Amino acid sequence: MIRSIRACKTAAEERAVVRKECAAIRAAINENDQDYRHRNLAKLMFIHMLGYPTHFGQMECLKSIASAGFPEKRIGYLGLMLLLDERQEVLMLVTNSLKQDLNHTNQYIVGLALCALGNICSAEMARDLAPEVERLLQFRDPNIRKKAALCSIRIIKKVPDLAENFINPAAALLKEKHHGVLITGIQLVTDICKVSTEALEFFRKPKCLDGLVKTLRDVVNSPYAPEYDIAGITDPFLHIRLLKLLHVLGQGDADASDCMNDILAQVATKTESNKNAGNAILYECVETIMSIEDNGGLRVLAINILGRFLSNRDNNIRYVALNMLMKAITVDAQAVQRHRATILECVKDLDASIRKRALELVYLLVNESNVKPLTKELIDYLEISDQEFKGDLTAKICSMVEKFSPDKIWYIDQMLKVLSEAGNFVKDEVWHALIVVISNASDLHGYTVRALYRAVQTSIEQESLVRVAIWCIGEYGDMLVNNVGVLNIEDPITVTESDAVDVVEIAIKHHSSDITTKAMAMVALLKLSSRFPSCSERIRDIIVQNKGSLVLELQQRSIEFNSIVEKHQNIRSTLVERMPVLDEATFSGRRAGSLPATVSTSSGTSLNLPNGVAKPAAAPLVDLLDLSSDDAPVPSSSGNDFLQDLLGVDVSPASVQPGTSQAPKAGTDVLLDLLSIGSPPVQNNSTPSDILSSSQDNKSSVAILDGLSPAPSGGAASMIDLLDGFVPNSPKPEDNGPAYPSIVAFESSSLILTFNFSKPPGNPQTTLIQATFTNLSPNVYTDFVFQAAVPKFLQLHLDPASGNTLPASGNGSITQTLRVTNSQHGKKPLVMRTRIAYKLNNRDVLEEGQINNFPRDL
Amino acid sequence: MVIRELSGVILTRGPKLCNFVEWRGYKVVYKRYASLYFCMCIDQEDNELEILEIIHHYVEILDRYFGSVCELDLIFNFHKAYYILDEILIAGELQESSKKTVARLIAAQDSLVETAKEQASSISNIIAQATK
């Protein structure tokens, strides 16, 4: 069959062959064919390996296992292990067969059972069969003992409680001479110790520990043994297992660690490291040394070995060395620093795995003293690294620079370089943070804007760079043109006003600019039109080109700004004044997800205030925005909104917070209130209607407009949160609380009817009435029916009653829900006629009444 | 699924690169023998270099058993390859470090299978004779 499958040239052919075979197998299963069962199972397994479904064969495996012959059992167990896993319920059926086989006289069959159990048993099976396995740990045949040991490992992993039972048998295994049993025994002990602290204590006792150390010493010193020799070392696997066990035993325990010091030193120095086997042993040895309690000499030894590994030409060795060094840093950072140069080389390695490890290691090594050279190296490499790596590299560089930058100018320099190289990989928070820093570094504004101008000339495709650049040019354009604040390290540069406008224009028109960039560019143009009055006309031309843009945000900005430039020159300059310094502390606090404890007022002074209006406008607005963040459900995202609003960015509808859904109607009333509060700071140059048509300093009024306009286009988030801030105490319309008292609608000597009222959310005309009927007489009422009639301006709907038998003397009640809709809600109260019919001792009774005492405002 | 994903990752790696890849939080160690790749998936804490040794251990035993094993041997005798694997690893842990012992065990079990087959065929012969 295999031959025929391999002969197939196409996938479809293969599927056809497989289907035919499956059909044949299924037929054979149905006929319960004994002879070819094992062959069919083998075929099934092959088909399974190719990836086709084979569930129909599972019962066949079971039958095969149950049969008496060795070949059938062998293939049955193999099928079991391949076709089933522990999640299948069918597995439970095998438990019985397994139990019998574990007690079989033929030790190979016992071996098969142990093997299967060890590979796929589930927790229940483990519990059932654990005693058998325990017994087999002491079987005379070493082959069985070692299988039993590994099986026990799986049992312990599945059912940790059973670990204690295995401690003693496992301890016996440690004294074995047979390598196979010894290895598995050690493995078992290691796993027991990981699971049970009691076992850990037991095996840490000097008696046990010394035995282990002696075993290791014997193996290290043993002469050439052809059976176990690999690359000149006797049984490296045994070495490694022993070292692992010592690792577990020595960790956290000083005495145990002392015992092992000598042997560890011996292994570390004497093992040859020209072959992989030797290196594997050294690796494990170093790992052990690093984890046990401190011993200076050993640690130095270990780090030296790692240093040797690092300069090895074999990639595997270097990889494991980097891995180990990461752990070593916590232990001895100084020593690792010495190898910094080599590690840096590894960051540039051809091998992706090595690069990743090296980068992580470098990141861990960074501190204030070496951040500058390290960053320089990494940024240099950024230029030549390949795309998948750039993302990681950029993130790490940005994070490093942010944490350890010694001064602002260096920070800005590095960030500019990163943005020029890999701006597209830079996350939003990073360049937001950059802008905050720039705005705080007031003496560097000129330098920054000039540097950005130069950078943008060369790297226009890097989106984030363009965004930061146009923001800065918009803000500090005058400094750019007038060469304000030149530092002596700068080369002189002359930029004319129209050059500056060129840059922004290119940004708007560039094909790869997305909406955020274009929106920011618009704002920048508006600012420039005020700062460079001579270019005003040209700027206006650029702005109106977006008047017909399909994107609402751009269109809106275009029209508004155009109107400002054309008609409102008198307020324009105050509108686009220099932005107040963004408060770094608040920003980083928000970013960290914590709510600011105090409302922040922008503390930094803004430059060049022609009149003092702008600042108070900013302060209460900032306060208001802080208020909004207290209500915002997710502080970190509100932090972003805060900054995004200030930057005039925030086009994505995804940023609209859930707050928008909460207060739609209450919103409009309060909004007008808010505007009257918000207007005094700007009242000296605009009327309320102007507020609606012009844009304010921080662009938050765009958000107000968005809130008013029927189509919310994002950016309204914090504003609507603002509105929430103003309606904390007013009762929400959807309040379902007991605003209306319940009434006794009808009362007679034998019956009481009470009404409880509630209003469904969003519908003030409708009232839900919960009617409760209670029987006061000592007799039971049966066939209880309630009817009601209402005048024409009301609509009534009765739900079915909870029952129609009313127990006597108030021992129970019937409830029924009524729904009344009042078309004259607020003008006329509810009124209702009732008719109650029931049978008392098989006599019909009728009670009628009228209910006039409904609460007035239902 | 898993196989497809892993083969995609491993097959694209060049010859001089190290034999370890990180995948879904685990480490995968692979070794290439001509056109065959042997891959083993391990936890973060296991010793990668040792795994390379284990893979080599297994391949050497296969070699001894089949006599200069090649890919076709493994395809047509996958069940035997699995039997040998079951003698080397259980529950993911190493079982036996001596190639000689493993070979001996496999040989013993194979002979059991042979004798069983002979018995079966002789019984069916007898029955066939009897029912003629």
Side-chain angles (χ1 to χ4, degrees), chain A residues 526 564 568 571-577 694-698:
Chain A
L526 182 64
I564 297 178
H568 299 281
I571 55 162
R572 185 176 57 183
S573 50
T574 34
L575 278 180
V576 293
E577 276 203 348
S694 68
S695 43
Q696 267 188 8
D697 188 347
N698 295 350

Side-chain angles (χ1 to χ4, degrees), chain A residues 694-739:
Chain A
S694 68
S695 43
Q696 267 188 8
D697 188 347
N698 295 350
K699 306 276 348 95
S700 52
S701 62
V702 174
I704 298 180
L705 291 166
D706 286 345
L708 283 181
S709 66
S713 63
S718 61
M719 204 58 207
I720 304 238
D721 280 347
L722 215 61
L723 303 176
D724 278 352
F726 275 82
V727 289
N729 298 318
S730 61
K732 296 190 188 149
E734 50 273 22
D735 191 355
N736 269 348

Side-chain angles (χ1 to χ4, degrees), chain A residues 227 241 315-316 351 357, chain B residues 16 18-19 22 50 97-98:
Chain A
E227 190 173 338
R241 301 294 146 140
N315 283 336
N316 293 339
D351 186 335
R357 285 260 155 258
Chain B
K16 289 285 193 334
C18 73
N19 298 62
E22 304 195 10
E50 191 199 4
S97 58
S98 152

Side-chain angles (χ1 to χ4, degrees), chain A residues 413-596:
Chain A
D413 274 340
Q414 304 310 311
M415 290 308 297
L416 286 193
K417 285 204 199 123
V418 173
L419 284 177
S420 317
E421 252 330 297
N424 289 331
F425 293 100
V426 171
K427 294 208 182 56
D428 285 342
E429 296 106 33
V430 175
W431 62 268
H432 289 176
L434 175 60
I435 291 187
V436 172
V437 169
I438 291 179
S439 93
N440 272 302
S442 37
D443 45 335
L444 293 175
H445 286 162
Y447 171 75
T448 314
V449 69
R450 278 185 290 274
L452 280 167
Y453 177 78
R454 277 188 220 111
V456 157
Q457 307 290 326
T458 47
S459 317
I460 188 95
E461 343 57 65
Q462 302 294 344
E463 201 75 36
S464 324
L465 177 66
V466 172
R467 286 183 199 160
V468 177
I470 51 183
W471 188 86
C472 285
I473 292 180
E475 272 297 295
Y476 311 122
D478 46 329
M479 301 177 111
L480 174 64
V481 172
N482 301 328
N483 272 331
V484 174
V486 179
L487 307 175
N488 14 13
I489 50 170
E490 286 186 58
D491 302 322
I493 174 176
T494 11
V495 183
T496 65
E497 294 179 351
S498 93
D499 287 337
V501 179
D502 280 343
V503 171
V504 187
E505 185 176 5
I506 293 175
I508 283 196
K509 301 224 174 103
H510 199 247
H511 58 89
S512 68
S513 300
D514 66 356
I515 299 176
T516 317
T517 318
K518 289 190 182 159
M520 285 177 79
M522 294 280 231
V523 179
L525 282 175
L526 182 64
K527 294 180 191 170
L528 287 180
S529 83
S530 154
R531 305 205 204 296
F532 305 155
S534 57
C535 294
S536 204
E537 261 315 297
R538 180 179 163 206
I539 290 180
R540 203 176 72 77
D541 287 335
I542 304 176
I543 292 181
V544 301
Q545 285 171 19
N546 274 307
K547 247 185 169 172
S549 162
L550 287 173
V551 179
L552 180 60
E553 185 69 27
L554 294 179
Q555 189 188 96
Q556 191 166 358
R557 291 188 189 208
S558 163
I559 296 177
E560 286 163 10
F561 297 171
N562 181 35
S563 133
I564 297 178
V565 174
E566 267 185 353
K567 300 183 214 146
H568 299 281
Q569 278 100 359
N570 52 331
I571 55 162
R572 185 176 57 183
S573 50
T574 34
L575 278 180
V576 293
E577 276 203 348
R578 192 84 73 213
M579 211 181 266
V581 175
L582 302 168
D583 190 341
E584 255 178 316
T586 326
F587 177 70
S588 47
R590 288 239 182 77
R591 260 178 86 197
S594 55
L595 293 171

Side-chain angles (χ1 to χ4, degrees), chain A residues 790-796 820-823 828-832:
Chain A
V790 288
K792 286 233 162 48
F793 63 88
L794 296 175
Q795 276 178 315
L796 176 64
V820 181
T821 309
N822 185 354
S823 59
K828 284 196 186 170
L830 297 185
V831 66
M832 193 185 287

Side-chain angles (χ1 to χ4, degrees), chain A residues 765-779:
Chain A
Q765 292 184 335
T766 308
T767 311
L768 286 173
I769 306 178
Q770 180 93 334
T772 313
F773 307 94
T774 316
N775 179 356
L776 300 173
S777 80
N779 304 310

